[in-house]
């Protein structure tokens, strides 16, 4: 009988992080789907869509390994940006402006509360840790950062189009022209894009710094 060779320590740590990230993301999405507090279709939420994308990326890396080419790295980076951005917006905009002013609504059931913790607290930490700990070939440049922002932009284009056509309702109040006017929404979009681009640059810079530190060690 042939025994599998043990993983190198660093490879074992990154595989563990991938498993944690995939589990947290998947469990969070499941909890959001089965909860009975919020009637909004889960896939209209950027948080849920980003979690689905990131979970798929992590699951693939668990099964097939980290090798995926430059576009595989870009998709992984875009998924990380999406998960972190959704958490940042939730904690700075959505939760403080909610009726309860906290992470949880007064009538949230246990599933909804669990989804909030997993998708906005556990998953962002796990995906960033995995991103920083794993090999990455992306350069720290505005071009690469711009490509990592394409996922949030694509979400806004699709859901915004659905809302504009009346097919669906934009789940985020601050992105509804009927609530705050077109100028305010346009300003919010510009600010959000600036934050997203800055976040992408910061992640790439942090990954580059981590790689250089390990090389020196």
């Amino acid at each position: 009988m042939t025994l599998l060779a043990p993983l190198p320590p660093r490879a074992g740590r990154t595989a563990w992080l991938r498993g944690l990230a995939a589990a947290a993301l998947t469990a969070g999405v499941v909890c959001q789907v089965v909860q009975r507090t919020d009637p909004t279709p889960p896939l209209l939420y950027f948080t849920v869509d980003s979690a689905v994308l990131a979970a798929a990326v992590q699951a693939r890396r668990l099964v097939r390994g980290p090798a995926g080419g430059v576009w595989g790295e870009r998709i992984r980076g875009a998924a990380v940006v999406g998960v972190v951005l959704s958490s940042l917006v939730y904690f700075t905009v959505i939760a403080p402006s909610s009726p309860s002013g906290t992470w949880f609504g007064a009538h949230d059931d246990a599933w909804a509360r669990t989804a909030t913790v997993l998708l906005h607290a556990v998953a962002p930490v796990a995906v960033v840790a995995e991103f920083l700990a794993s090999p990455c070939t992306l350069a720290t440049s505005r071009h690469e950062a711009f490509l990592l922002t394409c996922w949030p932009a694509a979400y806004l284009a699709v859901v915004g189009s659905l809302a504009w056509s009346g097919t669906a309702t934009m789940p985020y109040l601050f992105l509804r022209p009927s609530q705050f006017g077109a100028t305010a929404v346009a300003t919010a979009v510009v600010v959000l894009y600036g934050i997203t681009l800055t976040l992408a640059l910061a992640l790439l810079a942090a990954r580059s710094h981590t790689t250089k530190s390990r090389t020196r060690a």
Side-chain angles (χ1 to χ4, degrees), residues 137-160:
T137 58
L138 301 182
T140 305
S141 66
R142 291 183 180 178
H143 172 71
E144 291 295 350
F146 168 77
L147 291 175
L148 300 193
T149 68
C150 288
W151 157 239
Y155 165 85
L156 184 60
V158 172
V159 176

Short mmCIF file of all heavy atoms in Angstrom, two decimals, residues 137-160:
data_model
loop_
_atom_site.label_atom_id
_atom_site.label_comp_id
_atom_site.label_asym_id
_atom_site.label_seq_id
_atom_site.Cartn_x
_atom_site.Cartn_y
_atom_site.Cartn_z
N THR A 137 0.72 35.24 -8.13
CA THR A 137 1.59 35.77 -9.18
C THR A 137 1.17 37.15 -9.65
O THR A 137 1.79 37.71 -10.55
CB THR A 137 1.58 34.81 -10.39
OG1 THR A 137 0.22 34.67 -10.86
CG2 THR A 137 2.12 33.45 -10.02
N LEU A 138 0.12 37.72 -9.07
CA LEU A 138 -0.37 39.02 -9.53
C LEU A 138 0.58 40.14 -9.10
O LEU A 138 1.05 40.17 -7.97
CB LEU A 138 -1.76 39.29 -8.97
CG LEU A 138 -2.85 38.29 -9.34
CD1 LEU A 138 -4.19 38.71 -8.75
CD2 LEU A 138 -2.97 38.15 -10.86
N ALA A 139 0.81 41.06 -10.00
CA ALA A 139 1.66 42.22 -9.70
C ALA A 139 0.87 43.24 -8.89
O ALA A 139 -0.35 43.32 -8.98
CB ALA A 139 2.17 42.85 -10.99
N THR A 140 1.60 44.04 -8.12
CA THR A 140 0.97 45.13 -7.38
C THR A 140 0.92 46.34 -8.31
O THR A 140 1.84 47.16 -8.34
CB THR A 140 1.77 45.46 -6.10
OG1 THR A 140 1.90 44.27 -5.32
CG2 THR A 140 1.05 46.51 -5.28
N SER A 141 -0.14 46.42 -9.07
CA SER A 141 -0.26 47.50 -10.05
C SER A 141 -1.72 47.94 -10.14
O SER A 141 -2.63 47.22 -9.74
CB SER A 141 0.21 47.03 -11.42
OG SER A 141 -0.66 46.01 -11.93
N ARG A 142 -1.91 49.14 -10.66
CA ARG A 142 -3.28 49.64 -10.83
C ARG A 142 -4.05 48.79 -11.84
O ARG A 142 -5.26 48.63 -11.70
CB ARG A 142 -3.25 51.10 -11.28
CG ARG A 142 -2.74 52.05 -10.21
CD ARG A 142 -2.80 53.48 -10.69
NE ARG A 142 -2.31 54.40 -9.66
CZ ARG A 142 -2.22 55.71 -9.83
NH1 ARG A 142 -2.59 56.26 -10.98
NH2 ARG A 142 -1.77 56.48 -8.84
N HIS A 143 -3.34 48.27 -12.82
CA HIS A 143 -4.00 47.42 -13.82
C HIS A 143 -4.60 46.18 -13.16
O HIS A 143 -5.77 45.86 -13.38
CB HIS A 143 -3.00 47.01 -14.89
CG HIS A 143 -3.53 45.98 -15.84
ND1 HIS A 143 -4.50 46.25 -16.78
CD2 HIS A 143 -3.23 44.64 -15.99
CE1 HIS A 143 -4.78 45.15 -17.48
NE2 HIS A 143 -4.02 44.17 -17.00
N GLU A 144 -3.81 45.50 -12.34
CA GLU A 144 -4.31 44.30 -11.67
C GLU A 144 -5.40 44.66 -10.67
O GLU A 144 -6.40 43.95 -10.55
CB GLU A 144 -3.17 43.56 -10.96
CG GLU A 144 -2.17 42.91 -11.88
CD GLU A 144 -2.77 41.78 -12.71
OE1 GLU A 144 -3.92 41.36 -12.45
OE2 GLU A 144 -2.08 41.30 -13.63
N ALA A 145 -5.23 45.76 -9.94
CA ALA A 145 -6.26 46.18 -8.99
C ALA A 145 -7.56 46.49 -9.72
O ALA A 145 -8.65 46.14 -9.23
CB ALA A 145 -5.78 47.40 -8.21
N PHE A 146 -7.46 47.13 -10.88
CA PHE A 146 -8.66 47.42 -11.67
C PHE A 146 -9.39 46.14 -12.05
O PHE A 146 -10.62 46.06 -11.96
CB PHE A 146 -8.28 48.20 -12.93
CG PHE A 146 -9.38 48.29 -13.94
CD1 PHE A 146 -10.45 49.17 -13.77
CD2 PHE A 146 -9.38 47.48 -15.07
CE1 PHE A 146 -11.48 49.23 -14.70
CE2 PHE A 146 -10.40 47.54 -16.00
CZ PHE A 146 -11.45 48.42 -15.81
N LEU A 147 -8.64 45.11 -12.44
CA LEU A 147 -9.27 43.85 -12.82
C LEU A 147 -9.98 43.20 -11.62
O LEU A 147 -11.02 42.56 -11.79
CB LEU A 147 -8.22 42.89 -13.39
CG LEU A 147 -7.65 43.28 -14.76
CD1 LEU A 147 -6.53 42.32 -15.15
CD2 LEU A 147 -8.74 43.30 -15.82
N LEU A 148 -9.43 43.39 -10.41
CA LEU A 148 -10.06 42.82 -9.23
C LEU A 148 -11.36 43.53 -8.87
O LEU A 148 -12.16 42.99 -8.10
CB LEU A 148 -9.10 42.87 -8.03
CG LEU A 148 -7.78 42.12 -8.16
CD1 LEU A 148 -7.10 42.01 -6.80
CD2 LEU A 148 -7.97 40.74 -8.76
N THR A 149 -11.56 44.73 -9.39
CA THR A 149 -12.80 45.46 -9.11
C THR A 149 -13.91 45.13 -10.11
O THR A 149 -15.03 45.61 -9.97
CB THR A 149 -12.57 46.98 -9.14
OG1 THR A 149 -12.26 47.41 -10.49
CG2 THR A 149 -11.45 47.39 -8.20
N CYS A 150 -13.60 44.31 -11.10
CA CYS A 150 -14.60 44.01 -12.13
C CYS A 150 -15.79 43.23 -11.58
O CYS A 150 -16.92 43.38 -12.07
CB CYS A 150 -13.96 43.24 -13.28
SG CYS A 150 -12.86 44.27 -14.29
N TRP A 151 -15.54 42.38 -10.57
CA TRP A 151 -16.65 41.62 -10.01
C TRP A 151 -17.68 42.52 -9.33
O TRP A 151 -18.88 42.43 -9.64
CB TRP A 151 -16.15 40.53 -9.07
CG TRP A 151 -17.17 40.09 -8.06
CD1 TRP A 151 -17.09 40.13 -6.72
CD2 TRP A 151 -18.49 39.57 -8.35
NE1 TRP A 151 -18.23 39.67 -6.13
CE2 TRP A 151 -19.12 39.33 -7.11
CE3 TRP A 151 -19.18 39.31 -9.52
CZ2 TRP A 151 -20.42 38.83 -7.01
CZ3 TRP A 151 -20.48 38.80 -9.42
CH2 TRP A 151 -21.08 38.56 -8.18
N PRO A 152 -17.31 43.41 -8.40
CA PRO A 152 -18.31 44.31 -7.82
C PRO A 152 -19.01 45.17 -8.89
O PRO A 152 -20.22 45.41 -8.79
CB PRO A 152 -17.50 45.18 -6.86
CG PRO A 152 -16.32 44.34 -6.50
CD PRO A 152 -16.00 43.58 -7.75
N ALA A 153 -18.25 45.61 -9.89
CA ALA A 153 -18.85 46.41 -10.95
C ALA A 153 -19.87 45.60 -11.74
O ALA A 153 -20.95 46.10 -12.12
CB ALA A 153 -17.76 46.95 -11.88
N ALA A 154 -19.55 44.33 -12.00
CA ALA A 154 -20.47 43.46 -12.74
C ALA A 154 -21.75 43.23 -11.94
O ALA A 154 -22.87 43.26 -12.49
CB ALA A 154 -19.80 42.13 -13.04
N TYR A 155 -21.60 43.02 -10.63
CA TYR A 155 -22.79 42.86 -9.78
C TYR A 155 -23.69 44.08 -9.87
O TYR A 155 -24.91 43.97 -10.06
CB TYR A 155 -22.39 42.63 -8.32
CG TYR A 155 -23.56 42.83 -7.37
CD1 TYR A 155 -24.45 41.79 -7.11
CD2 TYR A 155 -23.78 44.06 -6.76
CE1 TYR A 155 -25.54 41.99 -6.27
CE2 TYR A 155 -24.87 44.26 -5.92
CZ TYR A 155 -25.74 43.23 -5.68
OH TYR A 155 -26.83 43.43 -4.86
N LEU A 156 -23.09 45.26 -9.72
CA LEU A 156 -23.88 46.49 -9.74
C LEU A 156 -24.56 46.68 -11.09
O LEU A 156 -25.72 47.10 -11.15
CB LEU A 156 -22.98 47.68 -9.43
CG LEU A 156 -23.69 49.03 -9.32
CD1 LEU A 156 -24.73 49.01 -8.21
CD2 LEU A 156 -22.67 50.14 -9.09
N ALA A 157 -23.87 46.34 -12.17
CA ALA A 157 -24.45 46.48 -13.50
C ALA A 157 -25.65 45.56 -13.68
O ALA A 157 -26.71 45.97 -14.19
CB ALA A 157 -23.40 46.20 -14.57
N VAL A 158 -25.52 44.32 -13.24
CA VAL A 158 -26.60 43.34 -13.43
C VAL A 158 -27.80 43.65 -12.53
O VAL A 158 -28.94 43.76 -13.00
CB VAL A 158 -26.08 41.90 -13.16
CG1 VAL A 158 -27.25 40.91 -13.16
CG2 VAL A 158 -25.06 41.51 -14.21
N VAL A 159 -27.55 43.80 -11.22
CA VAL A 159 -28.66 44.04 -10.29
C VAL A 159 -29.25 45.42 -10.52
O VAL A 159 -30.47 45.61 -10.42
CB VAL A 159 -28.19 43.87 -8.83
CG1 VAL A 159 -29.31 44.21 -7.86
CG2 VAL A 159 -27.72 42.44 -8.60
N GLY A 160 -28.40 46.40 -10.86
CA GLY A 160 -28.92 47.72 -11.19
C GLY A 160 -29.82 47.69 -12.40
O GLY A 160 -30.87 48.36 -12.43
#
